[in-house]
């Protein structure tokens, strides 16, 4: 991945960050003209590998990997496999999560892959690297070391060995929590429109911000890392209320955040908080009525739009939500740079960005580029089939009941710019094409105007139902080739090595041999 020293604006940004709060930083950067984005050389097309000037312009092949794989298979054995199979040159070890997507072995119920311990495991979650208490003195969250792997440290026990092989190391973490297992979680939690504590953190809660920043400072100060990537796989209250996601509908809708910090911030912006609450409760009732009414009804979209006209505060609150998320990006970007000015900082953009026009509109890559060194749009085409089909069924049952699910899919293909993708009937088993990977890569590169490199996420064996699309080696090869042909300087193999078949990982290596280093 390109070195931060190539970025002329970094020095001024670091100085700037020492003097201003994260909010001020965000306000200032967001006010900067897009015609004057942060500069990089060669549009992010160079890959300066640590300590080896002969390997510039080498393509980045990064992989996300949990500590469990190193413990099960041995650090050297894992690194051998990654280099031999897929020419991996950037490791992204998971340092913090309470979720199964980035930690542990294969998801129970899914076939075990062709490597690793052939048993399912339990995960507790937390930090998979040692906590240095001095970084958490002011944090209300102090005790969160994951217990299941003993003293194994996914940074200290891996980084040096990776470096001797010429690999870079980026720590990877996600905003996935288990409130039951985190003492004091309620002090950093989001609050929904009904006053209930949610399962994630509030972007505007100072204690939540301090906790995240403390971790970043710890990792990047006490380890010799090349950078970090955060996965904030969330969206705001409007999209959640509309069930605009690819999960199953049925749980209560997450309509957050209405905590005291968010309320205060909204008031300062002149947003009527009580009207917002009434609007979201009305929207929640409207969605509930739609879902419980089995009969197609006329004029659903009209009624939704009328509700938004009655309560424009709904949109204002949604806007505050994603701008607050960007403020946290800005805070972590600045924190990382202060701890290690050379660290490269990037964001995983969740898969929904390739399905939901509502979410895509919020995730403005050009704006994100102002506080990023790279972006990883999740262009997962294999699991994209069943996920997209579920997303379409979800939004058809709420926003688009005036149309059939097939019509809603066609509308989305047109709005999102996809061509020749499968019908709704075939989509879950067929998956999306490699062309979708190429299109999303080109779109991202165009949006950031080359100011930061785009590393598309490549889906290798992300779990699907057994009768749905399953990854094949040719799928991986085609997706990687599509990303490179679209102009990406690298790819990030996702979600985690422990669920990938080695035969599929080899597909990435084959693509690299074909396209050249
Ligand atoms: Zn809040």
């Amino acid at each position: 991945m390109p070195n931060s020293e190539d970025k002329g604006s970094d020095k001024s940004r670091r100085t700037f960050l020492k003097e201003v709060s994260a909010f001020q930083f965000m306000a200032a950067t967001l006010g900067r003209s897009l015609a004057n984005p942060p500069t990089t050389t060669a549009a992010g097309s160079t890959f300066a590998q640590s300590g080896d000037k002969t390997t510039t312009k080498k393509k980045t092949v990064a992989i996300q990997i949990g500590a469990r794989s190193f413990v099960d298979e041995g650090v050297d054995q894992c690194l051998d496999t990654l280099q031999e199979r897929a020419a991996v040159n950037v490791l992204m070890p998971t340092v913090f999560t309470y979720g199964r997507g980035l930690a542990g072995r294969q998801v129970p119920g899914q076939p075990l892959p062709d490597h690793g311990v052939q048993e399912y495991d339990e995960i507790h979650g937390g930090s998979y690297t040692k906590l240095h208490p001095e970084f958490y003195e002011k944090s209300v969250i102090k005790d969160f070391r994951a217990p299941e792997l003993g003293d194994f440290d996914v940074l200290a026990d891996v980084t040096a060995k990776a470096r001797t092989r010429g690999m870079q190391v980026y720590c990877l973490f996600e905003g996935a929590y288990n409130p039951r297992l985190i003492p004091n979680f309620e002090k950093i939690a989001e609050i929904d429109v009904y006053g209930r504590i949610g399962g994630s953190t509030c972007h505007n809660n100072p204690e939540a911000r301090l906790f995240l920043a403390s971790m970043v400072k710890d990792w990047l100060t006490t380890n010799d890392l090349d950078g970090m990537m955060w996965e904030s796989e969330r969206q705001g209250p409007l999209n959640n209320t509309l069930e605009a996601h690819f999960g199953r509908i049925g749980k209560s809708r997450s309509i957050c955040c209405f905590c005291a910090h968010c309320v205060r911030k909204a008031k300062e912006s002149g947003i009527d908080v009580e009207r917002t609450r009434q609007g979201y409760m009305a929207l929640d009732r409207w969605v509930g009525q739609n879902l419980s009414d089995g009969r197609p009804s006329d004029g659903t979209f009209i009624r939704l739009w009328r509700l938004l006209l009655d309560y424009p505060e709904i949109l204002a609150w949604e806007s505050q939500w994603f701008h607050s998320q960007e403020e946290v990006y800005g805070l972590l970007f600045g924190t990382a740079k202060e701890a290690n000015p050379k660290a490269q900082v990037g964001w995983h953009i969740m898969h929904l960005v390739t399905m939901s026009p509502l979410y895509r509109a919020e995730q403005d890559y050009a704006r994100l580029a102002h506080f990023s060194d790279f972006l990883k749009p999740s262009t997962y085409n294999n699991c994209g089939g069943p996920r997209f089909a579920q997303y379409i069924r979800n939004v058809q049952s709420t926003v688009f009941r005036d149309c059939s699910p097939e019509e809603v899919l066609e509308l989305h293909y047109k709005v999102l710019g996809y061509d020749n993708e499968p019908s709704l009937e075939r989509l879950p088993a067929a998956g999306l094409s490699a062309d979708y990977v190429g299109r999303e890569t080109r779109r991202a590169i165009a949006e950031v105007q080359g100011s930061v490199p785009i590393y598309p996420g490549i889906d290798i064996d992300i779990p699907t139902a057994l009768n749905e699309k399953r990854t094949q080696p040719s799928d991986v090869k085609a997706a990687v080739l599509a990303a490179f042909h679209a102009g990406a300087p690298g790819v990030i193999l996702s979600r985690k090595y422990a669920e990938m078949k080695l035969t599929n990982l080899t597909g990435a290596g084959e693509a690299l041999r074909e396209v050249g280093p």
Side-chain angles (χ1 to χ4, degrees), residues 189-191 201-205 256-263 320:
E190 59 187 358
I191 306 289
T201 59
C202 167
H203 293 314
N204 291 312
N205 181 318
C256 297
C257 177
F258 287 82
C259 79
H261 306 288
C262 290
V263 163
Q320 173 171 293

Side-chain angles (χ1 to χ4, degrees), residues 313-353:
E313 296 85 359
I314 289 174
L315 281 173
W317 210 265
E318 178 77 0
S319 179
Q320 173 171 293
W321 192 94
F322 69 78
H323 282 301
S324 300
Q325 183 186 43
E326 290 175 359
E327 287 175 23
V328 178
Y329 284 151
L331 170 68
L332 299 187
F333 184 87
T335 302
K337 297 290 183 183
E338 282 199 69
N340 177 357
K342 291 184 179 178
Q344 299 293 286
V345 181
W347 320 113
H348 155 107
I349 309 297
M350 74 168 164
H351 199 189
L352 199 57
V353 79

Side-chain angles (χ1 to χ4, degrees), residues 193-441:
V193 70
Y194 303 108
R196 300 173 297 199
I197 290 182
S200 195
T201 59
C202 167
H203 293 314
N204 291 312
N205 181 318
E207 297 292 355
R209 290 184 175 198
L210 178 64
F211 169 57
L212 290 168
S214 299
M215 288 197 292
V216 167
K217 198 168 181 180
D218 183 357
W219 301 327
L220 289 168
T221 304
T222 59
N223 296 277
D224 179 23
L225 298 175
D226 297 282
M228 61 163 240
M229 183 167 77
W230 187 37
E231 301 196 358
S232 179
E233 293 211 310
R234 305 164 64 183
Q235 58 179 349
L238 173 59
N239 296 349
N240 279 338
T241 309
L242 295 175
E243 304 280 15
H245 54 79
F246 52 74
R248 298 282 171 182
I249 290 178
K251 295 184 293 186
S252 68
R253 291 173 277 280
S254 171
I255 310 176
C256 297
C257 177
F258 287 82
C259 79
H261 306 288
C262 290
V263 163
R264 189 180 312 119
K265 184 174 183 175
K267 284 180 177 171
E268 288 170 2
S269 302
I271 302 172
D272 187 325
V273 176
E274 200 41 47
R275 286 286 301 169
T276 310
R277 285 186 205 278
Q278 291 170 13
Y280 271 103
M281 288 182 192
L283 187 66
D284 194 24
R285 285 193 300 275
W286 177 82
V287 170
Q289 286 162 6
N290 277 351
L291 293 175
S292 62
D293 178 3
R295 292 168 292 130
S297 58
D298 292 335
T300 302
F301 189 82
I302 302 296
R303 289 207 297 273
L304 169 63
W305 199 255
R306 189 169 293 149
L307 209 151
L308 292 176
L309 292 170
D310 286 344
Y311 295 99
E313 296 85 359
I314 289 174
L315 281 173
W317 210 265
E318 178 77 0
S319 179
Q320 173 171 293
W321 192 94
F322 69 78
H323 282 301
S324 300
Q325 183 186 43
E326 290 175 359
E327 287 175 23
V328 178
Y329 284 151
L331 170 68
L332 299 187
F333 184 87
T335 302
K337 297 290 183 183
E338 282 199 69
N340 177 357
K342 291 184 179 178
Q344 299 293 286
V345 181
W347 320 113
H348 155 107
I349 309 297
M350 74 168 164
H351 199 189
L352 199 57
V353 79
T354 70
M355 303 171 205
S356 166
L358 306 174
Y359 182 63
R360 181 181 285 189
E362 298 176 359
Q363 300 296 306
D364 184 334
Y365 294 163
R367 204 167 54 223
L368 295 181
H370 287 272
F371 35 90
S372 314
D373 290 312
F374 66 93
L375 295 176
K376 174 208 165 188
S378 300
T379 54
Y380 301 157
N381 62 318
N382 300 311
C383 70
R387 285 182 174 186
F388 202 0
Q390 185 62 47
Y391 171 83
I392 291 298
R393 295 192 186 284
N394 288 356
V395 291
Q396 190 275 335
S397 67
T398 56
V399 179
F400 298 110
R401 288 175 69 88
D402 306 319
C403 309
S404 69
E406 291 76 13
E407 289 168 335
V408 177
L409 179 63
E410 282 307 310
L411 174 70
H412 277 70
Y413 280 158
K414 288 217 164 48
V415 169
L416 298 169
Y418 303 150
D419 203 11
N420 295 318
E421 297 295 347
S423 65
L424 188 59
E425 188 185 10
R426 290 186 54 244
L427 186 55
L432 291 159
S433 68
D435 181 59
Y436 144 96
V437 178
R439 283 170 185 257
E440 281 298 279
T441 303

Side-chain angles (χ1 to χ4, degrees), residues 22-44:
F23 182 77
Q24 289 168 316
F25 166 71
M26 287 296 304
T29 53
L30 290 178
R32 192 161 59 191
S33 164
L34 288 183
N36 183 28
T39 53
T40 57
T41 57

Side-chain angles (χ1 to χ4, degrees), residues 479-500:
V480 173
L481 284 175
F484 286 140
H485 289 153
V491 293
I492 299 178
L493 309 179
S494 306
R495 295 180 307 187
K496 62 175 180 181
Y497 169 70
E499 68 190 7
M500 300 176 187

